Amino acid sequence: MKLICGLGNPGREYERHRHNIGFMVVDALLARARAELTQDKFQARVGQGTLGGERILFVEPQTFMNLSGRSVAEAARFYKVAVQDVLVIHDELDLPFARLQLKAGGGAGGHNGLKSLVSSLGEDAFIRVRVGIGKPEGPNAKERVAGYVLSNFDDGERRQLEELISRAADMAESWVRDGLTTAMNRHNRKA
C-alpha cells in the first residue's frame, strides 16, 4: 500500500486557494481511482482505491496546513506505510506557476506543511510532487507571501489550472505505476 496526501486547509473559504493545490490534485486522483474520501480519521478525510495496480490510501489532513504531518504520520503508522511509500502533493513558491517537480526528500524550504511532515514522520525521505504557484514579486514580496498563498488563482492561472492538476495527477500516478526514477525521468524533463 502507498499513501498519497494532498496538502491544504479545510473549509470552503480556502477551497480554491493556491495553498490548496494538493487537495485539488488528490481530488483528481480520486476520480481516476474511482474512490472517495469516505472516512474521517487521523484528523483527516481518508479513502482507499486502486491506482496503477496498487492499493492507495488517500489523505487530506483537516488540521490546517501547519499541523498536516500529524494526520499523515498517524495514517502511515496505522497502515504500516513506509515513509518512502508516502507521496505528498503541495504548492511550491520556488517554482514558477505551472512548473512541476517530482523528488524524494529535501528540506521544508519555509513550507509549514512540509515542516510538520518532517517533524511528525521523523525524516524527510517522503516523495513530493511540487506544484509551482510562483511567488509575489516586487518590494515587500516576503511580507506578502502568506496573503499570496491564501489567495485564489488569478484569471490567467485559472485557465491553466485544470491542465496543471491533470499533469500533477499524471506524475503521481506514474510514481505509483513505474517507480520514482522512471517517473522522475519521464515527467521532470517535460516540466
Side-chain angles (χ1 to χ4, degrees):
M1 174 181 270
K2 294 185 184 299
L3 187 158
I4 296 180
C5 166
L7 294 186
N9 286 313
R12 295 192 68 77
E13 68 270 29
Y14 299 105
E15 212 167 71
R16 302 307 291 171
H17 288 178
R18 290 178 174 92
H19 227 16
N20 274 38
I21 192 74
F23 281 5
M24 295 175 209
V25 176
V26 165
D27 290 344
L29 287 166
L30 286 164
R32 293 178 183 197
R34 292 186 182 89
E36 294 179 18
L37 300 176
T38 55
Q39 295 181 295
D40 290 319
K41 56 200 263 190
F42 316 117
Q43 299 178 64
R45 294 176 61 226
V46 178
Q48 291 188 41
T50 302
L51 202 59
E54 184 92 34
R55 222 167 103 225
I56 306 293
L57 179 69
F58 295 98
V59 178
E60 288 185 357
Q62 300 296 294
T63 56
F64 288 94
M65 185 66 76
N66 298 359
L67 301 174
S68 308
R70 290 180 186 175
S71 299
V72 177
E74 280 183 46
R77 276 194 292 277
F78 183 84
Y79 286 98
K80 296 176 177 48
V81 177
V83 173
Q84 296 79 7
D85 288 329
V86 173
L87 176 83
V88 176
I89 304 162
H90 66 89
D91 59 303
E92 182 57 64
L93 285 164
D94 290 331
L95 290 176
F97 176 75
R99 180 88 190 267
L100 296 169
Q101 183 189 42
L102 179 66
K103 67 178 273 193
H111 193 294
N112 290 331
L114 293 177
K115 283 180 190 171
S116 176
L117 279 154
V118 171
S119 172
S120 296
L121 290 169
E123 57 181 295
D124 69 358
F126 54 90
I127 313 304
R128 301 134 191 251
V129 171
R130 302 168 73 215
V131 182
I133 61 167
K135 58 184 160 191
E137 301 292 331
N140 304 321
K142 278 193 172 185
E143 291 82 40
R144 295 197 330 265
V145 165
Y148 179 79
V149 298
L150 294 175
S151 67
N152 291 331
F153 291 97
D154 66 33
D155 288 342
E157 292 167 336
R158 268 197 298 274
R159 284 191 285 278
Q160 300 175 59
L161 201 51
E162 192 173 319
E163 191 225 339
L164 174 60
I165 290 168
S166 179
R167 286 178 31 237
D170 289 347
M171 192 176 264
E173 192 170 354
S174 180
W175 167 74
V176 170
R177 188 180 51 251
D178 308 317
L180 180 64
T181 303
T182 300
M184 285 172 62
N185 288 338
R186 178 175 299 141
H187 294 279
N188 285 350
R189 275 186 280 145
K190 282 191 217 169

